[in-house]
Amino acid sequence: MNGVKFETRNIPNRSVDSNDDISSEDELEKGMILRVEGVWRPDNTGEAERLEYDDTFRGPVSDVILPDAANNTPGSFRMLGQTIRFDNRTVVRVGNGELTDGMTVRVSAWRTGDGYRASYVGSVTTGPDFPLELEGRIEEVNLDRFRIGTQWIRGGLNVGYPGDLTINDLVVGALVEVEGNFSSPGGAGGEIRAAEIRFADDRRFRGDEDEDIELSGPVQSLNLSGSTFLLNGVPVDFDSQTEFDDFSRSRIADGLLVQVEGEFRSGRVYAEEIELLEGNAEVEAAVQSADPSANELIVGGVTVRITNNTLIDSDDDITNNVFDADFLEVEGIERRDENDQVFLEALNIEIESAEDEFSLKGRLETGNYPLVTGTVKVLGVSLLYDEGAYTEVENDDDEDWRDCSVVSIDYEQSGNQFRALGIECEDDD
């Protein structure tokens, strides 16, 4: 969790507190957003004393738009009246591996300024008492009904109200969580008959007074002049003493996925460290070498380091361990070590079938380039290029790739060297 490897042996039966048919650690999946109470140490190990999980959404999906890796655009789907975005950081565990309209899934998601961003989407393999679940802000109230997004929910006196919420709290602007059923069989898209309504579970993102806390999610409601933003509805304050781990504080923006470590006081988190969890570089290539003891691989000439934050997956027909793999697709964060050597800190690794051509994306290292032949360096890899042999793709401003900050390169291995086949500018417009 958040890069910390927790021991769970102190939790009786390694149980998980949840009302969503998840009762033990064995039923958890990568990508699920958990609340872990316990201790963690500077060496990124810890001891969990309590685990808590709650679905953000559960029900049928529609209007699925898959992520477009080529254009680096996220996907989205509709679920119980709201739009949920997902991308290559989202762990998708559904029957055929690809999300399609009509599937019934559970979703673990972060709240954003304009909706939700999924961390996990998975098939529901057990039957909860109340098969539908959603959360959101009430936008309209009409007698014993209320609306979240475009979804109408019928409440009333026969509904359970666990926790502090009462029927009088169902007003416009209230942030609530609803579990229930469609009012009629096969009524997907129709009215929901609520069984339980409670305040949205912000508790999983909050701590006790003066305790250390670590949480992740997308930045929202950023106020640069006030040095504040919201993370899962929790106010975060940062200042000149806050450490921005390997990314500039000027890069912080709404929607950026970050991890914050700090102290919880008076309902706010005072950030001591903010770490980027968004990838800014990638490589798809053959594995040249692997060092499991150092958690390091050389992939297409790029040094790749695996951390506790790395999510590893594989094609359905591949069972190799990542250190035994022949070909990998890696997305992560471009960093430099204490010796100023570039490496890729892996966020996602996909074990794939071998291919002949490689590709990478990263910051273009500055240098002087001859007009006919030369060398380009990206992600620490030197690649030969020939002015007449590669296809140059210019951006909308007719800017030459040499003037760009970030480039994508298709390349191949030739003996002990790498040769660029195509170079494309990836700078934002």
Side-chain angles (χ1 to χ4, degrees):
M1 289 290 299
N2 289 359
V4 179
K5 184 176 182 179
F6 285 97
E7 290 286 349
T8 56
R9 56 192 168 197
N10 292 330
I11 300 176
N13 300 317
R14 292 183 166 87
S15 63
V16 177
D17 292 337
S18 173
N19 63 350
D20 295 323
D21 280 352
I22 289 179
S23 58
S24 71
E25 179 188 333
D26 293 340
E27 297 169 302
L28 297 174
E29 296 275 1
K30 286 189 295 186
M32 286 181 170
I33 299 170
L34 303 181
R35 177 183 176 89
V36 179
E37 295 182 15
V39 296
W40 72 87
R41 308 179 186 89
D43 64 352
N44 287 336
T45 64
E47 294 181 11
E49 298 168 357
R50 184 171 180 264
L51 303 176
E52 182 180 343
Y53 174 76
D54 185 29
D55 289 337
T56 315
F57 293 88
R58 189 173 57 249
V61 302
S62 64
D63 303 319
V64 175
I65 300 173
L66 296 177
D68 186 344
N71 294 309
N72 197 31
T73 55
S76 64
F77 55 91
R78 295 281 294 172
M79 191 171 188
L80 302 178
Q82 298 188 70
T83 297
I84 303 169
R85 292 179 176 82
F86 68 113
D87 52 30
N88 60 354
R89 285 291 284 158
T90 305
V91 177
V92 179
R93 292 286 186 269
V94 293
N96 61 1
E98 187 171 283
L99 191 65
T100 57
D101 285 5
M103 284 184 170
T104 297
V105 299
R106 66 178 3 133
V107 177
S108 189
W110 296 289
R111 193 181 312 128
T112 64
D114 57 353
Y116 288 83
R117 176 175 174 174
S119 176
Y120 169 83
V121 179
S123 299
V124 178
T125 55
T126 57
D129 293 335
F130 313 128
L132 305 177
E133 181 168 354
L134 74 154
E135 71 168 48
R137 203 169 294 280
I138 296 176
E139 299 178 25
E140 184 178 354
V141 178
N142 183 356
L143 298 177
D144 64 343
R145 300 193 312 156
F146 60 92
R147 179 173 58 82
I148 297 176
T150 60
Q151 180 66 61
W152 280 96
I153 299 117
R154 187 171 295 277
L157 296 174
N158 294 324
V159 175
Y161 296 96
D164 298 329
L165 184 139
T166 71
I167 193 172
N168 297 323
D169 294 313
L170 298 180
V171 296
V172 172
L175 191 61
V176 298
E177 174 186 306
V178 178
E179 294 194 67
N181 304 265
F182 285 120
S183 294
S184 59
E191 184 178 87
I192 290 177
R193 183 177 61 250
E196 291 186 352
I197 305 174
R198 58 176 63 85
F199 284 121
D201 194 11
D202 280 347
R203 179 187 173 278
R204 65 182 135 165
F205 302 118
R206 296 180 181 273
D208 294 328
E209 191 69 12
D210 295 326
E211 80 168 356
D212 291 336
I213 189 170
E214 194 171 289
L215 66 164
S216 59
V219 172
Q220 63 182 110
S221 303
L222 175 65
N223 181 340
L224 278 175
S225 61
S227 297
T228 66
F229 58 87
L230 293 178
L231 202 64
N232 306 305
V234 180
V236 175
D237 289 40
F238 61 97
D239 56 25
S240 59
Q241 301 302 309
T242 303
E243 178 185 352
F244 282 72
D245 190 4
D246 278 345
F247 82 107
S248 167
R249 72 178 57 218
S250 63
R251 212 195 138 187
I252 194 166
D254 279 348
L256 197 67
L257 188 61
V258 298
Q259 176 177 305
V260 173
E261 182 178 335
E263 189 174 275
F264 192 83
R265 300 197 306 270
S266 302
R268 310 179 71 87
V269 174
Y270 291 85
E272 298 167 0
E273 181 178 342
I274 300 177
E275 180 178 354
L276 182 68
L277 289 183
E278 293 274 17
N280 61 5
E282 55 194 53
V283 61
E284 185 174 6
V287 178
Q288 275 82 49
S289 65
D291 183 356
S293 64
N295 282 326
E296 188 171 285
L297 307 112
I298 306 298
V299 180
V302 178
T303 299
V304 174
R305 294 184 183 174
I306 296 174
T307 73
N308 287 338
N309 272 329
T310 305
L311 293 172
I312 300 173
D313 208 347
S314 63
D315 289 344
D316 291 340
D317 58 342
I318 296 176
T319 58
N320 285 355
N321 178 283
V322 66
F323 293 107
D324 298 323
D326 297 320
F327 199 93
L328 298 176
E329 180 181 354
V330 184
E331 183 258 344
I333 304 170
E334 183 175 345
R335 301 194 188 277
R336 289 182 179 270
D337 63 17
E338 61 277 5
N339 298 316
D340 203 35
Q341 299 300 304
V342 174
F343 67 94
L344 182 59
E345 181 181 298
L347 294 175
N348 299 299
I349 296 180
E350 181 85 18
I351 304 172
E352 297 186 334
S353 301
E355 299 178 17
D356 293 331
E357 292 188 4
F358 308 162
S359 65
L360 58 76
K361 172 187 170 183
R363 285 195 294 265
L364 179 66
E365 295 193 31
T366 57
N368 297 315
Y369 304 104
L371 293 176
V372 181
T373 60
T375 302
V376 59
K377 196 170 186 181
V378 179
L379 289 178
V381 182
S382 294
L383 304 103
L384 299 176
Y385 74 89
D386 188 315
E387 202 67 61
Y390 73 84
T391 301
E392 181 178 332
V393 181
E394 299 175 344
N395 66 12
D396 292 340
D397 297 326
D398 292 330
E399 185 178 21
D400 191 276
W401 64 264
R402 299 168 186 79
D403 300 319
C404 296
S405 300
V406 178
V407 295
S408 288
I409 299 179
D410 294 326
Y411 67 109
E412 65 181 0
Q413 186 169 7
S414 177
N416 294 323
Q417 295 180 318
F418 298 102
R419 184 177 300 277
L421 302 174
I423 306 175
E424 182 176 355
C425 181
E426 291 286 344
D427 284 359
D428 294 331
D429 293 337

